[in-house]
Amino acid sequence: QVQLVESGGGLVQAGGSLRLSCAASGHIFSSYAMGWFRQAPGKEREFVAAINWSGGNTYYGDSVKGRFTISRDNAKNTVYLQMNSLKPEDTAVYYCAAGGSTTVVVRTPHYWGQGTQVTVSS
């Protein structure tokens, strides 16, 4: 079992930046691929980014490429999402996810966090 706790959400103006964190506990963090998803009101959950166990491979959704960066610190059992050049359409609840591989994380994560709200004002 893996527990995931997100933090770092908040209100930011368009063009600003935020860094989300996801702290993991309960299992060997470095054995899991990690990812971020988001869900805006009235919309389906959307894949944002994923990273493999070592941090050597990363993947991004088309809407965030070039603006968001996923990274991880296995010594701290934490995955990060650096979000730059934020837009009002980035407003959503952001969820951390974990799975056995990046393919699993992107398609059907094994574990989810509770989410953190990001609001971008225009």
Side-chain angles (χ1 to χ4, degrees), residues 10-110:
L11 174 64
V12 64
Q13 288 188 333
S17 299
L18 277 177
R19 188 176 81 156
L20 305 183
S21 300
C22 173
S25 61
H27 210 276
I28 301 174
F29 176 74
S30 60
S31 66
Y32 284 90
M34 302 295 296
W36 289 94
F37 290 75
R38 67 186 183 186
Q39 188 166 20
K43 295 187 177 181
E44 293 187 353
R45 191 168 295 187
E46 174 189 16
F47 167 71
V48 174
I51 189 167
N52 74 330
W53 68 273
S54 68
N57 293 308
T58 57
Y59 307 89
Y60 297 93
D62 289 341
S63 61
V64 306
K65 282 181 182 176
R67 300 188 298 122
F68 291 10
T69 302
I70 188 171
S71 62
R72 66 189 296 161
D73 185 337
N74 288 343
K76 295 182 178 180
N77 289 357
T78 302
V79 63
Y80 304 98
L81 184 69
Q82 178 66 44
M83 306 185 294
N84 299 329
S85 302
L86 283 161
K87 305 174 182 179
E89 51 264 44
D90 294 318
T91 295
V93 177
Y94 283 71
Y95 297 91
C96 178
S101 68
T102 50
T103 299
V104 170
V105 167
V106 171
R107 295 180 180 177
T108 54
H110 294 149

